[in-house]
Amino acid sequence: NMDDSPNTDFTNCPTSHSDGQKVSYVKCMTWQLGHDGLNAGKWGTVENSFVRTVDDAIKPWDSHGIYRDINIWQLTLGWPINLGWWAWNQPDVDTVIDSIHVIHNHNWVTSPQWPETQSGQCVIGGVYGSGSVKERYKLSNIFVETAASCAVGLQISKDAYSRHPTPEGCVGSMVDMEIDG
């Protein structure tokens, strides 16, 4: 819910890829700081697309997502692939990210001070602050054509932006993550 209250009615949520969102053959281009790229939500698919953003290009933050065959032109803020902080306290599992081509990565210019470490300059990054466990994500065939300060920079923090810890204030972890190429 937009007011941060828990959603107790999940009858309108997708339950498989057959009723999940599909984003295909899209060109997403932004020019202003803070304008993000694509996130298709739970059971969503983003494929065969081009993303040029001044913040996070693709945001696989939900269970069972598929992100494949995407070309990214990353400008001066955010991560090309943001494994961020969104899943609240729902399961965050089994997302596949495959065949991503980062044809330009410029995020090293403005991101060294945020987050507090240099992970803001990485190709794959995120500050995870959800109460759920992010697990069984599979990333493969990630190609980067320009210089990058680092490949992967992931953090877990109870102070993450837009965090949603458990009622006890706990933050989940990342387990069984596979990054191959």
Side-chain angles (χ1 to χ4, degrees), residues 155-166:
Q155 300 175 55
I156 297 173
S157 173
K158 64 179 180 52
D159 299 320
Y161 174 81
S162 192
R163 64 195 172 278
H164 299 283
T166 65

Side-chain angles (χ1 to χ4, degrees), residues 3-141:
D3 65 357
D4 250 1
S5 64
N7 181 11
T8 57
D9 177 16
F10 294 105
T11 58
N12 63 340
C13 295
T15 57
S16 71
H17 283 288
S18 64
D19 64 352
Q21 299 71 247
K22 305 246 183 312
V23 178
S24 189
Y25 296 99
V26 168
K27 184 187 296 184
C28 171
M29 299 179 74
T30 68
W31 283 265
Q32 301 294 320
L33 286 174
H35 289 184
D36 288 344
L38 301 174
N39 172 291
K42 188 174 183 180
W43 291 104
T45 300
V46 177
E47 62 186 356
N48 302 310
S49 294
F50 175 82
V51 181
R52 178 193 175 273
T53 60
V54 192
D55 207 339
D56 309 314
I58 60 172
K59 304 182 305 182
W61 296 350
D62 301 285
S63 289
H64 309 288
I66 297 174
Y67 294 78
R68 68 174 166 234
D69 297 317
I70 300 169
N71 292 309
I72 295 173
W73 183 304
Q74 183 68 43
L75 292 172
T76 58
L77 183 65
W79 294 282
I81 301 169
N82 180 338
L83 296 182
W85 41 70
W86 208 247
W88 313 78
N89 293 314
Q90 302 173 33
D92 188 2
V93 300
D94 298 320
T95 289
V96 174
I97 301 143
D98 182 49
S99 298
I100 307 298
H101 297 266
V102 180
I103 60 172
H104 181 79
N105 187 14
H106 206 113
N107 69 348
W108 55 269
V109 174
T110 58
S111 298
Q113 287 82 34
W114 192 94
E116 294 79 19
T117 67
Q118 292 186 354
S119 72
Q121 300 175 326
C122 298
V123 174
I124 301 166
V127 180
Y128 196 62
S130 171
S132 67
V133 176
K134 185 180 282 288
E135 60 183 317
R136 295 187 309 272
Y137 270 54
K138 297 193 182 333
L139 292 87
S140 57
N141 302 310

